[in-house]
PDB file of all heavy atoms in Angstrom:
ATOM      1  N   ALA A  20      -8.167-206.272-154.092  1.00 95.00           N
ATOM      2  CA  ALA A  20      -7.046-205.413-154.536  1.00 95.00           C
ATOM      3  C   ALA A  20      -7.248-203.926-154.142  1.00 95.00           C
ATOM      4  O   ALA A  20      -6.241-203.217-154.169  1.00 95.00           O
ATOM      5  CB  ALA A  20      -6.895-205.550-156.060  1.00 95.00           C
ATOM      6  N   ILE A  21      -8.443-203.580-153.741  1.00 96.00           N
ATOM      7  CA  ILE A  21      -8.672-202.138-153.481  1.00 96.00           C
ATOM      8  C   ILE A  21      -7.827-201.665-152.304  1.00 96.00           C
ATOM      9  O   ILE A  21      -7.240-200.595-152.352  1.00 96.00           O
ATOM     10  CB  ILE A  21     -10.220-201.898-153.243  1.00 96.00           C
ATOM     11  CG1 ILE A  21     -10.931-202.093-154.577  1.00 96.00           C
ATOM     12  CG2 ILE A  21     -10.447-200.496-152.685  1.00 96.00           C
ATOM     13  CD1 ILE A  21     -12.470-202.041-154.402  1.00 96.00           C
ATOM     14  N   GLY A  22      -7.794-202.419-151.160  1.00 96.00           N
ATOM     15  CA  GLY A  22      -7.097-201.991-150.052  1.00 96.00           C
ATOM     16  C   GLY A  22      -5.621-201.651-150.276  1.00 96.00           C
ATOM     17  O   GLY A  22      -5.151-200.559-150.092  1.00 96.00           O
ATOM     18  N   PRO A  23      -4.876-202.696-150.802  1.00 96.00           N
ATOM     19  CA  PRO A  23      -3.481-202.427-151.090  1.00 96.00           C
ATOM     20  C   PRO A  23      -3.245-201.322-152.147  1.00 96.00           C
ATOM     21  O   PRO A  23      -2.349-200.519-151.992  1.00 96.00           O
ATOM     22  CB  PRO A  23      -2.973-203.756-151.603  1.00 96.00           C
ATOM     23  CG  PRO A  23      -3.942-204.781-151.060  1.00 96.00           C
ATOM     24  CD  PRO A  23      -5.261-204.100-151.013  1.00 96.00           C
ATOM     25  N   ALA A  24      -4.081-201.322-153.154  1.00 96.00           N
ATOM     26  CA  ALA A  24      -3.951-200.336-154.212  1.00 96.00           C
ATOM     27  C   ALA A  24      -4.175-198.919-153.743  1.00 96.00           C
ATOM     28  O   ALA A  24      -3.412-198.011-153.947  1.00 96.00           O
ATOM     29  CB  ALA A  24      -4.829-200.638-155.378  1.00 96.00           C
ATOM     30  N   ALA A  25      -5.211-198.763-152.931  1.00 97.00           N
ATOM     31  CA  ALA A  25      -5.536-197.446-152.367  1.00 97.00           C
ATOM     32  C   ALA A  25      -4.465-197.003-151.346  1.00 97.00           C
ATOM     33  O   ALA A  25      -4.103-195.796-151.316  1.00 97.00           O
ATOM     34  CB  ALA A  25      -6.886-197.504-151.646  1.00 97.00           C
ATOM     35  N   ALA A  26      -3.889-197.941-150.640  1.00 97.00           N
ATOM     36  CA  ALA A  26      -2.808-197.597-149.695  1.00 97.00           C
ATOM     37  C   ALA A  26      -1.591-197.112-150.433  1.00 97.00           C
ATOM     38  O   ALA A  26      -0.971-196.130-150.043  1.00 97.00           O
ATOM     39  CB  ALA A  26      -2.513-198.784-148.825  1.00 97.00           C
ATOM     40  N   ILE A  27      -1.269-197.746-151.575  1.00 97.00           N
ATOM     41  CA  ILE A  27      -0.129-197.342-152.386  1.00 97.00           C
ATOM     42  C   ILE A  27      -0.369-195.923-152.974  1.00 97.00           C
ATOM     43  O   ILE A  27       0.507-195.083-152.947  1.00 97.00           O
ATOM     44  CB  ILE A  27       0.191-198.403-153.482  1.00 97.00           C
ATOM     45  CG1 ILE A  27       0.702-199.658-152.832  1.00 97.00           C
ATOM     46  CG2 ILE A  27       1.160-197.808-154.499  1.00 97.00           C
ATOM     47  CD1 ILE A  27       0.780-200.846-153.784  1.00 97.00           C
ATOM     48  N   VAL A  28      -1.580-195.743-153.510  1.00 97.00           N
ATOM     49  CA  VAL A  28      -1.900-194.419-154.103  1.00 97.00           C
ATOM     50  C   VAL A  28      -1.856-193.326-153.005  1.00 97.00           C
ATOM     51  O   VAL A  28      -1.307-192.307-153.259  1.00 97.00           O
ATOM     52  CB  VAL A  28      -3.272-194.475-154.811  1.00 97.00           C
ATOM     53  CG1 VAL A  28      -3.788-193.070-155.101  1.00 97.00           C
ATOM     54  CG2 VAL A  28      -3.228-195.352-156.038  1.00 97.00           C
ATOM     55  N   ALA A  29      -2.456-193.623-151.870  1.00 97.00           N
ATOM     56  CA  ALA A  29      -2.432-192.665-150.781  1.00 97.00           C
ATOM     57  C   ALA A  29      -1.031-192.279-150.339  1.00 97.00           C
ATOM     58  O   ALA A  29      -0.667-191.093-150.176  1.00 97.00           O
ATOM     59  CB  ALA A  29      -3.205-193.211-149.588  1.00 97.00           C
ATOM     60  N   SER A  30      -0.174-193.279-150.201  1.00 97.00           N
ATOM     61  CA  SER A  30       1.182-193.049-149.814  1.00 97.00           C
ATOM     62  C   SER A  30       1.945-192.191-150.864  1.00 97.00           C
ATOM     63  O   SER A  30       2.691-191.261-150.507  1.00 97.00           O
ATOM     64  CB  SER A  30       1.885-194.373-149.579  1.00 97.00           C
ATOM     65  OG  SER A  30       3.243-194.144-149.166  1.00 97.00           O
ATOM     66  N   ALA A  31       1.756-192.514-152.078  1.00 97.00           N
ATOM     67  CA  ALA A  31       2.395-191.756-153.173  1.00 97.00           C
ATOM     68  C   ALA A  31       1.915-190.285-153.170  1.00 97.00           C
ATOM     69  O   ALA A  31       2.706-189.334-153.314  1.00 97.00           O
ATOM     70  CB  ALA A  31       2.123-192.393-154.506  1.00 97.00           C
ATOM     71  N   LEU A  32       0.591-190.057-153.002  1.00 97.00           N
ATOM     72  CA  LEU A  32       0.065-188.720-152.951  1.00 97.00           C
ATOM     73  C   LEU A  32       0.599-187.990-151.708  1.00 97.00           C
ATOM     74  O   LEU A  32       0.950-186.786-151.746  1.00 97.00           O
ATOM     75  CB  LEU A  32      -1.400-188.764-152.894  1.00 97.00           C
ATOM     76  CG  LEU A  32      -2.181-189.133-154.171  1.00 97.00           C
ATOM     77  CD1 LEU A  32      -3.636-189.410-153.886  1.00 97.00           C
ATOM     78  CD2 LEU A  32      -1.983-188.095-155.239  1.00 97.00           C
ATOM     79  N   ASP A  33       0.736-188.683-150.635  1.00 96.00           N
ATOM     80  CA  ASP A  33       1.233-188.124-149.334  1.00 96.00           C
ATOM     81  C   ASP A  33       2.681-187.684-149.535  1.00 96.00           C
ATOM     82  O   ASP A  33       3.056-186.580-149.155  1.00 96.00           O
ATOM     83  CB  ASP A  33       1.121-189.237-148.265  1.00 96.00           C
ATOM     84  CG  ASP A  33       1.086-188.659-146.864  1.00 96.00           C
ATOM     85  OD1 ASP A  33       1.174-187.441-146.696  1.00 96.00           O
ATOM     86  OD2 ASP A  33       0.882-189.464-145.950  1.00 96.00           O
ATOM     87  N   VAL A  34       3.538-188.538-150.134  1.00 96.00           N
ATOM     88  CA  VAL A  34       4.890-188.167-150.416  1.00 96.00           C
ATOM     89  C   VAL A  34       4.997-186.988-151.345  1.00 96.00           C
ATOM     90  O   VAL A  34       5.772-186.019-151.083  1.00 96.00           O
ATOM     91  CB  VAL A  34       5.655-189.421-151.056  1.00 96.00           C
ATOM     92  CG1 VAL A  34       7.047-189.000-151.557  1.00 96.00           C
ATOM     93  CG2 VAL A  34       5.798-190.484-149.945  1.00 96.00           C
ATOM     94  N   ARG A  35       4.185-186.981-152.355  1.00 95.00           N
ATOM     95  CA  ARG A  35       4.186-185.848-153.336  1.00 95.00           C
ATOM     96  C   ARG A  35       3.754-184.596-152.591  1.00 95.00           C
ATOM     97  O   ARG A  35       4.283-183.505-152.884  1.00 95.00           O
ATOM     98  CB  ARG A  35       3.279-186.161-154.522  1.00 95.00           C
ATOM     99  CG  ARG A  35       3.201-185.049-155.508  1.00 95.00           C
ATOM    100  CD  ARG A  35       4.562-184.875-156.222  1.00 95.00           C
ATOM    101  NE  ARG A  35       4.442-183.791-157.183  1.00 95.00           N
ATOM    102  CZ  ARG A  35       5.279-182.787-157.270  1.00 95.00           C
ATOM    103  NH1 ARG A  35       6.353-182.768-156.509  1.00 95.00           N
ATOM    104  NH2 ARG A  35       5.094-181.796-158.184  1.00 95.00           N
ATOM    105  N   ALA A  36       2.789-184.659-151.703  1.00 94.00           N
ATOM    106  CA  ALA A  36       2.398-183.405-150.942  1.00 94.00           C
ATOM    107  C   ALA A  36       3.562-182.885-150.130  1.00 94.00           C
ATOM    108  O   ALA A  36       3.749-181.674-150.129  1.00 94.00           O
ATOM    109  CB  ALA A  36       1.197-183.794-150.035  1.00 94.00           C
ATOM    110  N   GLY A  37       4.297-183.796-149.552  1.00 92.00           N
ATOM    111  CA  GLY A  37       5.512-183.310-148.787  1.00 92.00           C
ATOM    112  C   GLY A  37       6.513-182.637-149.690  1.00 92.00           C
ATOM    113  O   GLY A  37       7.104-181.609-149.333  1.00 92.00           O
ATOM    114  N   GLU A  38       6.706-183.191-150.857  1.00 93.00           N
ATOM    115  CA  GLU A  38       7.617-182.618-151.839  1.00 93.00           C
ATOM    116  C   GLU A  38       7.115-181.209-152.247  1.00 93.00           C
ATOM    117  O   GLU A  38       7.951-180.282-152.355  1.00 93.00           O
ATOM    118  CB  GLU A  38       7.806-183.479-153.061  1.00 93.00           C
ATOM    119  CG  GLU A  38       8.551-184.759-152.764  1.00 93.00           C
ATOM    120  CD  GLU A  38       8.460-185.766-153.973  1.00 93.00           C
ATOM    121  OE1 GLU A  38       7.712-185.547-154.923  1.00 93.00           O
ATOM    122  OE2 GLU A  38       9.105-186.828-153.839  1.00 93.00           O
ATOM    123  N   LEU A  39       5.868-181.101-152.556  1.00 92.00           N
ATOM    124  CA  LEU A  39       5.258-179.843-152.954  1.00 92.00           C
ATOM    125  C   LEU A  39       5.463-178.779-151.857  1.00 92.00           C
ATOM    126  O   LEU A  39       5.758-177.634-152.097  1.00 92.00           O
ATOM    127  CB  LEU A  39       3.778-179.958-153.275  1.00 92.00           C
ATOM    128  CG  LEU A  39       3.414-180.641-154.557  1.00 92.00           C
ATOM    129  CD1 LEU A  39       1.956-180.935-154.677  1.00 92.00           C
ATOM    130  CD2 LEU A  39       3.809-179.753-155.794  1.00 92.00           C
ATOM    131  N   ARG A  40       5.310-179.170-150.617  1.00 87.00           N
ATOM    132  CA  ARG A  40       5.381-178.261-149.501  1.00 87.00           C
ATOM    133  C   ARG A  40       6.833-177.894-149.215  1.00 87.00           C
ATOM    134  O   ARG A  40       7.156-176.689-149.079  1.00 87.00           O
ATOM    135  CB  ARG A  40       4.746-178.888-148.266  1.00 87.00           C
ATOM    136  CG  ARG A  40       4.777-177.945-147.048  1.00 87.00           C
ATOM    137  CD  ARG A  40       3.932-178.421-145.851  1.00 87.00           C
ATOM    138  NE  ARG A  40       2.519-178.139-146.170  1.00 87.00           N
ATOM    139  CZ  ARG A  40       1.620-179.041-146.465  1.00 87.00           C
ATOM    140  NH1 ARG A  40       1.935-180.284-146.484  1.00 87.00           N
ATOM    141  NH2 ARG A  40       0.368-178.710-146.712  1.00 87.00           N
ATOM    142  N   ASP A  41       7.686-178.887-149.158  1.00 87.00           N
ATOM    143  CA  ASP A  41       9.076-178.644-148.688  1.00 87.00           C
ATOM    144  C   ASP A  41      10.014-178.142-149.782  1.00 87.00           C
ATOM    145  O   ASP A  41      10.787-177.204-149.571  1.00 87.00           O
ATOM    146  CB  ASP A  41       9.644-179.906-148.051  1.00 87.00           C
ATOM    147  CG  ASP A  41       8.877-180.366-146.869  1.00 87.00           C
ATOM    148  OD1 ASP A  41       8.197-179.515-146.234  1.00 87.00           O
ATOM    149  OD2 ASP A  41       8.928-181.543-146.531  1.00 87.00           O
ATOM    150  N   LYS A  42       9.963-178.802-150.955  1.00 85.00           N
ATOM    151  CA  LYS A  42      10.925-178.455-151.959  1.00 85.00           C
ATOM    152  C   LYS A  42      10.429-177.348-152.929  1.00 85.00           C
ATOM    153  O   LYS A  42      11.196-176.525-153.391  1.00 85.00           O
ATOM    154  CB  LYS A  42      11.304-179.703-152.774  1.00 85.00           C
ATOM    155  CG  LYS A  42      12.017-180.736-151.991  1.00 85.00           C
ATOM    156  CD  LYS A  42      12.297-181.931-152.795  1.00 85.00           C
ATOM    157  CE  LYS A  42      12.939-183.058-151.941  1.00 85.00           C
ATOM    158  NZ  LYS A  42      13.036-184.306-152.624  1.00 85.00           N
ATOM    159  N   GLU A  43       9.126-177.417-153.238  1.00 80.00           N
ATOM    160  CA  GLU A  43       8.630-176.505-154.254  1.00 80.00           C
ATOM    161  C   GLU A  43       7.853-175.358-153.665  1.00 80.00           C
ATOM    162  O   GLU A  43       7.422-174.470-154.407  1.00 80.00           O
ATOM    163  CB  GLU A  43       7.723-177.275-155.209  1.00 80.00           C
ATOM    164  CG  GLU A  43       8.523-178.377-155.966  1.00 80.00           C
ATOM    165  CD  GLU A  43       7.651-179.224-156.897  1.00 80.00           C
ATOM    166  OE1 GLU A  43       6.635-178.679-157.423  1.00 80.00           O
ATOM    167  OE2 GLU A  43       7.925-180.439-157.023  1.00 80.00           O
ATOM    168  N   LYS A  44       7.673-175.319-152.344  1.00 83.00           N
ATOM    169  CA  LYS A  44       6.988-174.230-151.638  1.00 83.00           C
ATOM    170  C   LYS A  44       5.631-173.904-152.248  1.00 83.00           C
ATOM    171  O   LYS A  44       5.236-172.775-152.399  1.00 83.00           O
ATOM    172  CB  LYS A  44       7.858-172.937-151.677  1.00 83.00           C
ATOM    173  CG  LYS A  44       9.278-173.192-151.138  1.00 83.00           C
ATOM    174  CD  LYS A  44       9.316-173.611-149.681  1.00 83.00           C
ATOM    175  CE  LYS A  44      10.733-173.756-149.192  1.00 83.00           C
ATOM    176  NZ  LYS A  44      10.896-174.628-148.113  1.00 83.00           N
ATOM    177  N   LYS A  45       4.868-174.998-152.483  1.00 85.00           N
ATOM    178  CA  LYS A  45       3.518-174.832-153.080  1.00 85.00           C
ATOM    179  C   LYS A  45       2.523-175.373-152.004  1.00 85.00           C
ATOM    180  O   LYS A  45       1.972-176.432-152.127  1.00 85.00           O
ATOM    181  CB  LYS A  45       3.398-175.527-154.358  1.00 85.00           C
ATOM    182  CG  LYS A  45       4.251-174.958-155.470  1.00 85.00           C
ATOM    183  CD  LYS A  45       4.096-175.800-156.770  1.00 85.00           C
ATOM    184  CE  LYS A  45       4.975-175.180-157.850  1.00 85.00           C
ATOM    185  NZ  LYS A  45       4.829-175.929-159.043  1.00 85.00           N
ATOM    186  N   ALA A  46       2.293-174.577-151.025  1.00 88.00           N
ATOM    187  CA  ALA A  46       1.499-174.976-149.843  1.00 88.00           C
ATOM    188  C   ALA A  46       0.050-175.346-150.246  1.00 88.00           C
ATOM    189  O   ALA A  46      -0.502-176.372-149.793  1.00 88.00           O
ATOM    190  CB  ALA A  46       1.504-173.947-148.733  1.00 88.00           C
ATOM    191  N   ARG A  47      -0.574-174.525-151.046  1.00 90.00           N
ATOM    192  CA  ARG A  47      -1.987-174.786-151.434  1.00 90.00           C
ATOM    193  C   ARG A  47      -2.152-176.139-152.173  1.00 90.00           C
ATOM    194  O   ARG A  47      -2.999-176.940-151.899  1.00 90.00           O
ATOM    195  CB  ARG A  47      -2.509-173.617-152.252  1.00 90.00           C
ATOM    196  CG  ARG A  47      -3.989-173.939-152.700  1.00 90.00           C
ATOM    197  CD  ARG A  47      -4.590-172.763-153.361  1.00 90.00           C
ATOM    198  NE  ARG A  47      -5.029-171.826-152.266  1.00 90.00           N
ATOM    199  CZ  ARG A  47      -5.236-170.577-152.384  1.00 90.00           C
ATOM    200  NH1 ARG A  47      -5.072-169.967-153.542  1.00 90.00           N
ATOM    201  NH2 ARG A  47      -5.633-169.834-151.379  1.00 90.00           N
TER     202      ARG A  47
END
Side-chain angles (χ1 to χ4, degrees):
I21 291 173
I27 290 168
V28 166
S30 180
L32 289 168
D33 205 355
V34 168
R35 181 65 182 132
E38 291 169 353
L39 285 169
R40 181 170 282 109
D41 299 337
K42 295 178 185 170
E43 299 177 33
K44 307 298 182 203
K45 296 180 179 178
R47 177 172 280 158

